[in-house]
Amino acid sequence: MAPRGVWCVLLTCLFCTSSADKDFFTSIGQMTDLLYTEKDLVTSLKDYIRAEESKLEQVKKWAQKLDVLSATATQDPEGFLGHPVNAFKLMKRLNTEWGELESLVLKDMSDGFISNLTIQRQYFPNDDDQTGAAKALMRLQDTYRLDTQTISTGELPGTNTDVTMSPMTVEDCFELGKIAYSDADYYHTELWMEQALKQLDGGEESTVDMVTILDYLSYSIYQQGELERALDYTKRLLKLDSAHQRANGNLKYFEYQLAKQKKVEAEEGLKEKEKREREKREASEKKGRPADYLPERRKYEQLCRGEGIKMTPRRQSRMFCRYFDNNRHPLYVLGPVKQEDEWDRPRIIRYHDVLSNSEIEKVKELAKPRLRRATVHDPQTGKLTTAHYRVSKSAWLTAYEDPVVDKINQRIEDITGLNVKTAEELQVANYGVGGQYEPHFDFGRKDEPDAFKELGTGNRIATWLIYMSDVPSGGATVFTDVGAAVWPKKGSAVFWYNLFASGEGDYSTRHAACPVLVGNKWVSNKWIHERGQEFRRRCTLDESD
């Protein structure tokens, strides 16, 4: 028979994500399952504690009873044992009852809890999940220019005051610093080790000792070229542990390098001094995040923070909101959709209230069990692969699975006027901790001739993107070439053409999904292809059409 509490855990596990597809940090929607898993474990742990307390209470009563009895008996041992009942009970206690007490003390009350933990452990996040979540925090820190204190206290922009937030401990900050250190990211190592030290100096109790933090901190600062600060932290470390072998070695080395540096400076002429000062300033300006592979990183992050290009009043005056019936489409003559111009070049249009709450919930219900780490097209192989710059999970829904999906597909065709029979299936995506998709194109470029060859439907002519949740902070869709930013609004959809009418790619549609700072971002999208549009969007050689 299963121990108490095991059955509820077993039932819960039926709905857990397969251990073969973890990457929990890439989907907030699937991470919610982990909360229920942890809740079940806490219930099991409480059962174990109650069992231990019950056992200790029995032992305690036994000890109290014998304490009184032995105190009385030892006052007059012969007189006490002169009574035959007392003599019999002593024999019985030592021969039988103390043996029973021994069995009680040795009884392991943890069986039920350990069984539950063993069952659940296979569904736990792994080291990659923890590292991924840590790097996500650092990505949010950089993108939204947050200091470590703000993140540590949890006082993020857009945070719901009704949501309970557990502040980061010294151990949490130290772990972030260690993960950065393992990637030779000394910039973030310094930031998080300093935060850990600050909280330790503030009186917070911790299992991490100050010597270890100072060791990491001094070395990360030295690696960034700040010898004097590295020396100061090393001296502070040695005050706490004068026998620290590495710190003693570093002390001598740092002092030698500083002395050498000062000697060179003393012998320099005026021009050399000016050059050295200039080099110091340049090094100080360059200090920060490691070298990046993304050339437009700065612009991308500015747009994510809402620091995008503002339209001139003249351009803005040509942007409108209107009721749209798609050339008097029978479905929309009496109930037109609300259309809003988000940008002019490329033309980005938002359609409001295109999905109801019940439709959104149905799509999420269908997608959630099948969410898998989102993939991208590898231009070298033409195949799908996961990528660190796309942090989300996605699922594909076919029209025949549920009437709601079929209805959504038809609605997209009715509003856009494009044939969706050759389009890709409806893709549903849920973003994870700091979830993002860095700048990319939806269409296949000339250097990717095989991007969609296996589909046989041509290139992606247009994108239809539905926002299925509001996002309190972050999560915008930004177009890095033109400086446009579109913010999520639940139930609305944005639409743009990826190709000119000539069939050439519109490189101004390069876009990205900004990291989600606070909230749970759900989207679904439809990539519409060229085939089937020959008479719906006629070809022209003029790219300005």
Side-chain angles (χ1 to χ4, degrees):
M1 183 174 178
R4 181 182 176 189
V6 172
W7 295 117
C8 65
V9 176
L10 286 169
L11 287 170
T12 303
C13 286
L14 293 175
F15 303 98
C16 288
T17 304
S18 165
S19 59
D21 180 62
K22 288 194 174 180
D23 287 330
F24 288 109
F25 75 97
T26 63
S27 168
I28 295 294
Q30 284 195 332
M31 283 176 67
T32 56
D33 291 341
L34 296 178
L35 287 175
Y36 293 106
T37 297
E38 189 169 50
K39 185 179 179 182
D40 284 339
L41 284 174
V42 170
T43 301
S44 183
L45 181 60
K46 283 179 167 180
D47 287 343
Y48 162 64
I49 291 169
R50 279 192 290 270
E52 287 286 8
E53 286 175 340
S54 175
K55 183 176 85 171
L56 286 173
E57 188 61 32
Q58 291 178 62
V59 174
K60 185 178 177 182
K61 286 178 180 177
W62 173 266
Q64 288 172 342
K65 182 180 75 171
L66 288 187
D67 185 38
V68 174
L69 181 64
S70 59
T72 305
T74 53
Q75 287 178 4
D76 181 11
E78 290 186 4
F80 180 81
L81 291 173
H83 195 296
V85 173
N86 288 341
F88 164 73
K89 293 187 72 171
L90 175 62
M91 296 301 105
K92 178 177 174 289
R93 278 199 305 275
L94 292 173
N95 183 53
T96 305
E97 295 179 14
W98 276 99
E100 292 172 353
L101 180 65
E102 180 184 19
S103 297
L104 178 62
V105 171
L106 292 174
K107 185 178 180 182
D108 189 354
M109 311 302 290
S110 65
D111 286 349
F113 172 66
I114 296 300
S115 295
N116 288 355
L117 191 59
T118 302
I119 291 167
Q120 293 284 35
R121 194 182 298 280
Q122 61 185 311
Y123 303 104
F124 279 12
N126 55 26
D127 289 344
D128 290 340
D129 286 302
Q130 184 171 328
T131 300
K135 289 182 177 179
L137 277 180
M138 289 183 260
R139 180 165 60 249
L140 292 172
Q141 178 181 7
D142 296 337
T143 303
Y144 297 105
R145 291 185 175 174
L146 304 170
D147 57 56
T148 52
Q149 179 67 18
T150 298
I151 297 174
S152 180
T153 57
E155 296 171 355
L156 302 176
T159 302
N160 186 343
T161 53
D162 295 332
V163 175
T164 303
M165 193 276 162
S166 175
M168 292 178 70
T169 62
V170 171
E171 287 86 356
D172 296 332
C173 299
F174 178 72
E175 183 63 27
L176 278 176
K178 274 207 311 179
I179 287 170
Y181 182 85
S182 67
D183 278 352
D185 177 2
Y186 301 113
Y187 168 68
H188 286 108
T189 303
E190 177 192 344
L191 292 178
W192 285 103
M193 289 301 172
E194 279 192 330
Q195 181 62 32
L197 185 64
K198 179 182 176 182
Q199 290 180 206
L200 211 53
D201 286 339
E204 184 180 320
E205 292 184 2
S206 172
T207 56
V208 182
D209 63 278
M210 192 174 288
V211 168
T212 306
I213 294 172
L214 289 168
D215 194 18
Y216 276 101
L217 190 52
S218 62
Y219 186 74
S220 62
I221 290 170
Y222 159 70
Q223 284 289 345
Q224 296 177 86
E226 295 186 65
L227 272 172
E228 289 187 26
R229 283 185 65 217
L231 180 61
D232 289 341
Y233 279 118
T234 302
K235 287 178 177 176
R236 183 176 173 184
L237 187 161
L238 288 168
K239 283 182 181 178
L240 299 171
D241 183 1
S242 59
H244 197 286
Q245 188 175 355
R246 184 168 49 252
N248 276 302
N250 287 345
L251 179 70
K252 292 175 184 176
Y253 178 73
F254 294 159
E255 287 178 336
Y256 167 76
Q257 289 293 335
L258 274 173
K260 185 179 174 182
Q261 186 177 302
K262 287 177 181 177
K263 184 180 178 183
V264 171
E265 288 174 359
E267 294 172 355
E268 283 178 344
L270 183 61
K271 285 187 177 179
E272 286 83 359
K273 282 183 179 179
E274 288 176 351
K275 183 182 176 183
R276 180 174 286 276
E277 287 300 319
R278 187 167 62 252
E279 287 174 349
K280 275 186 178 180
R281 283 196 301 273
E282 287 174 357
S284 177
E285 287 169 5
K286 287 179 182 177
K287 181 191 172 185
R289 295 155 63 179
D292 200 353
Y293 57 87
L294 190 65
E296 66 225 278
R297 170 76 59 193
R298 185 178 173 188
K299 188 173 184 181
Y300 161 54
E301 293 184 349
Q302 284 179 330
L303 290 169
C304 290
R305 293 192 296 269
E307 300 167 7
I309 297 170
K310 305 300 178 188
M311 279 189 177
T312 61
R314 185 174 179 180
R315 280 178 71 187
Q316 188 67 46
S317 68
R318 293 196 288 267
M319 308 293 283
F320 295 98
C321 294
R322 64 187 71 79
Y323 284 104
F324 177 75
D325 62 12
N326 195 12
N327 295 321
R328 300 188 64 77
H329 189 287
L331 284 174
Y332 299 113
V333 171
L334 295 179
V337 293
K338 290 177 277 187
Q339 188 188 71
E340 178 185 0
D341 294 330
E342 286 282 355
W343 205 257
D344 53 357
R345 295 186 302 273
R347 192 177 183 209
I348 305 167
I349 303 169
R350 188 194 296 263
Y351 295 94
H352 293 271
D353 304 322
V354 294
L355 247 66
S356 66
N357 285 336
S358 61
E359 288 173 324
I360 287 171
E361 290 308 311
K362 186 62 182 179
V363 169
K364 286 163 63 176
E365 178 191 322
L366 292 168
K368 192 173 178 181
R370 286 183 280 166
L371 288 174
R372 296 293 180 270
R373 180 74 185 267
T375 55
V376 297
H377 270 96
D378 186 328
Q380 304 300 321
T381 64
K383 295 180 179 178
L384 294 174
T385 181
T386 59
H388 66 277
Y389 55 83
R390 189 178 189 186
V391 183
S392 63
K393 284 191 175 183
S394 60
W396 299 86
L397 303 181
T398 55
Y400 59 78
E401 287 184 62
D402 192 277
V404 167
V405 180
D406 189 36
K407 193 186 296 183
I408 291 169
N409 287 342
Q410 188 59 52
R411 194 173 300 156
I412 295 169
E413 180 166 317
D414 294 339
I415 293 174
T416 63
L418 297 175
N419 187 345
V420 299
K421 290 180 176 62
T422 57
E424 293 172 52
E425 303 298 352
L426 187 70
Q427 185 189 51
V428 182
N430 179 227
Y431 289 80
V433 184
Q436 62 164 2
Y437 190 179
E438 289 180 356
H440 61 282
F441 298 101
D442 279 353
F443 64 92
R445 274 82 66 213
K446 288 180 179 179
D447 59 346
E448 301 173 302
D450 298 331
F452 307 108
K453 188 177 180 180
E454 72 277 8
L455 298 178
T457 53
N459 212 340
R460 288 173 174 169
I461 192 173
T463 296
W464 174 275
L465 175 65
I466 306 170
Y467 296 112
M468 301 200 300
S469 65
D470 293 315
V471 181
S473 189
T477 305
V478 298
F479 293 74
T480 51
D481 272 26
V482 298
V486 181
W487 300 90
K489 184 179 179 185
K490 187 177 181 181
S492 71
V494 289
F495 173 79
W496 67 87
Y497 280 104
N498 297 305
L499 306 179
F500 290 112
S502 65
E504 292 295 312
D506 184 352
Y507 283 78
S508 69
T509 61
R510 185 169 170 83
H511 61 286
C514 293
V516 177
L517 180 56
V518 176
N520 187 6
K521 182 181 177 184
W522 284 88
V523 299
S524 57
N525 57 275
K526 194 79 172 172
W527 283 306
I528 304 169
H529 283 248
E530 291 176 290
R531 298 293 178 266
Q533 319 309 335
E534 292 83 357
F535 298 102
R536 300 195 182 209
R537 192 198 191 209
R538 294 184 181 275
C539 182
T540 174
L541 297 179
D542 185 0
E543 291 187 359
S544 65
D545 286 352

